[in-house]
Amino acid sequence: MKPVTTIKSGLHNIIIGNEACKVLDDHLSQETMNPFILVDDQTKVHCLPYLMNCSKKIIWDNIIQIPEGEKYKNLQQCETIWNKMFQNKADRNALLINLGGGMISDLGGFAASTFKRGIRFFNIPTSLTGQVDASIGGKIGVNYGGIKNQIGLISFPQLIIIDPVFLETLPEREIRSGFTEIIKHALIANDKLWKKILHSSMQELLNFPSDKNAWIQLITESVRIKNNIVSSDPYEKNLRKCLNFGHTVGHAIEAHLHTEHDIHTHGEAIAAGMICEMYISSKVTGFSFSDVETVSNHIIRCTGHHLISRSSFNDLVSLMEHDKKNISGKIMFTLLSEIGKPVINKSCEKQIIFESFEYLNSLA
Ligand SMILES: NC(=O)c1ccc[n+]([C@@H]2O[C@H](COP(=O)([O-])OP(=O)(O)OC[C@H]3O[C@@H](n4cnc5c(N)ncnc54)[C@H](O)[C@@H]3O)[C@@H](O)[C@H]2O)c1
Ligand SMILES: [Zn+2]
């Protein structure tokens, strides 16, 4: 495998590979000599020192630090970013580099795209979720009123640098969570990738860094799927909706995090969401029930089995009623008819949604 792979589209360029961060300085122009770098508490400690080693152009005064965690993906933290850029006299040629997981790229991308009507930004994703999903495709924004991603826009980073070195310090639970989005990409677009995932050992993959190449390959295949879909439908008129598989139920669970069930990460919420939505697919789009069982069991082996409490069933459906994807008041899903064949804009009876929660909880 080549040390660095470049994937170009009309939207953004993606560079993937071992020590890919070393190319950063080649992409900084005269005006963006000293970029702003957004970090959270964790990525400041675990990722910033490596990036500073790779680049001669980062200065301490332009580091913007915010607290870690989904609950800080909000307008208040966005103001923290704007304030620091104002203080340091950023102009419209300024550049913001988002160094972190999906929370950082969503929030930082939003802050950059709205600052003085929009400055450029790069994403350097440091979580697996960020590397295979969140950093790509330009969906950026913040949570509002307790609901996910209610304020935001689609605006593309100029460059995405994916360096697997960052996975070395990522907690195992976060690696397992990020793996969910790799599974999702396979399920919606690539039957062969799904078979490869089904027959690969999570334990061996977790044996990082000895298996760095296996990760680079998986990440690259996953990124290509997302990039192809986004490039053909950047503003989600049609095809891009297939990326929402697992996310109608998953986002509702995520908005309900840290309440009554033991799901704590985006990936865990989406894993549960994919299991529920495969069950719904078996009732609505003829997805085979034996596939529901095989895939669900594999998801559970990779991400763990996270139950949702009965007392939150009604709240979850209410949250789904606020989903941005709904049409004419109906809750909309992206379902599967077969592995690799998504079907967009599907709705179902509420009873089937409740049954899907029961199905998730019944799996051993
Ligand atoms: N825009 C999109 O298309 C898109 C797609 C998927 C997810 N998302 C969003 O992304 C977020 C979830 O992403 P996430 O799971 O990366 O969350 P996150 O950014 O909160 O990262 C998870 C945790 O890992 C820590 N971390 C990140 N990199 C690390 C590293 N290398 N070493 C040690 N710790 C590290 C973070 O500090 C955080 O505590 C959600 O807000 C979700 O809505 C967006
Ligand atoms: Zn997701």
Side-chain angles (χ1 to χ4, degrees), residues 215-233:
W215 276 115
I216 292 177
Q217 268 177 26
L218 269 178
I219 291 169
T220 307
E221 283 185 73
S222 194
V223 165
R224 282 193 200 281
I225 292 173
K226 175 143 189 192
N227 188 57
N228 286 345
I229 293 173
V230 170
S231 302
S232 64
D233 179 23

Side-chain angles (χ1 to χ4, degrees), residues 129 133 181 184 247 251 266 270:
T129 301
D133 194 3
E181 304 281 8
K184 181 195 78 178
H247 283 62
H251 272 164
H266 177 75
I270 299 314

Side-chain angles (χ1 to χ4, degrees), residues 11 32 106 125 129 135 138 185 189 195 213 232 237-238 246 251 284 312 323 335 337 350 354 356 360 363:
L11 306 174
T32 53
D106 279 14
T129 301
S135 66
H185 288 154
K195 290 205 176 97
N213 280 342
S232 64
K237 302 279 180 245
N238 228 312
H251 272 164
V284 177
S312 55
D323 195 291
L335 301 177
S337 61
K350 276 193 194 157
F354 286 112
S356 77
L360 169 72
L363 293 166

Side-chain angles (χ1 to χ4, degrees), residues 81-96:
I81 302 168
W82 290 329
N83 286 339
K84 177 83 178 189
M85 292 197 295
F86 271 117
Q87 265 169 27
N88 289 18
K89 303 195 169 49
D91 61 23
R92 290 186 65 188
N93 291 315
L95 172 76
L96 179 67

Side-chain angles (χ1 to χ4, degrees), residues 299-320:
I299 289 175
I300 287 171
R301 273 198 294 279
C302 294
T303 322
H305 189 201
H306 302 283
L307 304 177
I308 46 181
S309 73
R310 269 231 169 117
S311 56
S312 55
F313 284 8
N314 279 320
D315 287 355
L316 291 176
V317 173
S318 301
L319 282 163
M320 286 158 67

Side-chain angles (χ1 to χ4, degrees), residues 250-320:
H251 272 164
I253 296 174
E254 200 180 5
H256 217 248
L257 286 183
H258 309 301
T259 49
E260 291 163 55
H261 37 70
D262 72 339
I263 294 175
H264 292 288
T265 66
H266 177 75
E268 288 166 5
I270 299 314
M274 289 199 293
I275 292 174
C276 293
E277 294 184 19
M278 279 190 295
Y279 177 91
I280 297 171
S281 301
S282 74
K283 300 287 172 184
V284 177
T285 45
F287 188 60
S288 113
F289 196 71
S290 94
D291 280 346
V292 179
E293 304 232 277
T294 310
V295 181
S296 299
N297 285 324
H298 195 66
I299 289 175
I300 287 171
R301 273 198 294 279
C302 294
T303 322
H305 189 201
H306 302 283
L307 304 177
I308 46 181
S309 73
R310 269 231 169 117
S311 56
S312 55
F313 284 8
N314 279 320
D315 287 355
L316 291 176
V317 173
S318 301
L319 282 163
M320 286 158 67

